[in-house]
Amino acid sequence: VQLQASGGGLVQAGGSMRLSCVASGSISSINSMAWYRQAPGKQRELVATITNSSNTGYAGSVKGRFTISRDNAKNRVYLQMNALKPEDTAIYYCNAMIIRTPPHIFWGQGTLVTVSS
């Protein structure tokens, strides 16, 4: 599985941005996809997840502001980010997981989101 993320950039606080991740390869084996982020000097953290049945989950810090969605026809996962805050500044990574023992985890290259105050 290969993942390609795009859509990052610079936005003012309070603004919106949409990230996109396109998957290729053995995409039919993917069980769930997610967005993670890593701010400077911090550990990578889970932002949002979406399963094959479109069940979603969010980190508390983004709940109500971010929305994860998927377009199976286009093999894409999106992260709509609204009401952005400077603390949302980070490199955002697309992630895919195939449930195996052990799980198979795949990462995209990351896209930088900078929120100015």
Side-chain angles (χ1 to χ4, degrees), residues 24-66:
S24 60
S26 303
I27 56 177
S28 61
S29 300
I30 296 173
N31 298 106
S32 66
M33 295 190 71
W35 287 95
Y36 284 73
R37 67 185 181 187
Q38 187 166 18
K42 295 188 177 181
Q43 290 189 332
R44 191 173 297 189
E45 64 174 358
L46 177 64
V47 176
T49 62
I50 187 164
T51 68
N52 275 355
S53 49
S54 295
N55 292 320
T56 58
Y58 297 92
S61 59
V62 306
K63 191 173 289 186
R65 299 189 297 123
F66 290 12

Side-chain angles (χ1 to χ4, degrees), residues 9-94:
L10 176 65
V11 64
Q12 287 190 331
S16 297
M17 183 176 287
R18 188 176 80 158
L19 305 182
S20 176
C21 174
V22 60
S24 60
S26 303
I27 56 177
S28 61
S29 300
I30 296 173
N31 298 106
S32 66
M33 295 190 71
W35 287 95
Y36 284 73
R37 67 185 181 187
Q38 187 166 18
K42 295 188 177 181
Q43 290 189 332
R44 191 173 297 189
E45 64 174 358
L46 177 64
V47 176
T49 62
I50 187 164
T51 68
N52 275 355
S53 49
S54 295
N55 292 320
T56 58
Y58 297 92
S61 59
V62 306
K63 191 173 289 186
R65 299 189 297 123
F66 290 12
T67 302
I68 189 170
S69 62
R70 63 193 298 161
D71 184 336
N72 291 330
K74 296 181 179 179
N75 301 327
R76 286 185 179 268
V77 172
Y78 303 99
L79 185 68
Q80 178 66 44
M81 305 183 292
N82 298 328
L84 282 160
K85 304 175 181 180
E87 51 263 43
D88 294 318
T89 295
I91 299 174
Y92 284 72
Y93 296 91
C94 182

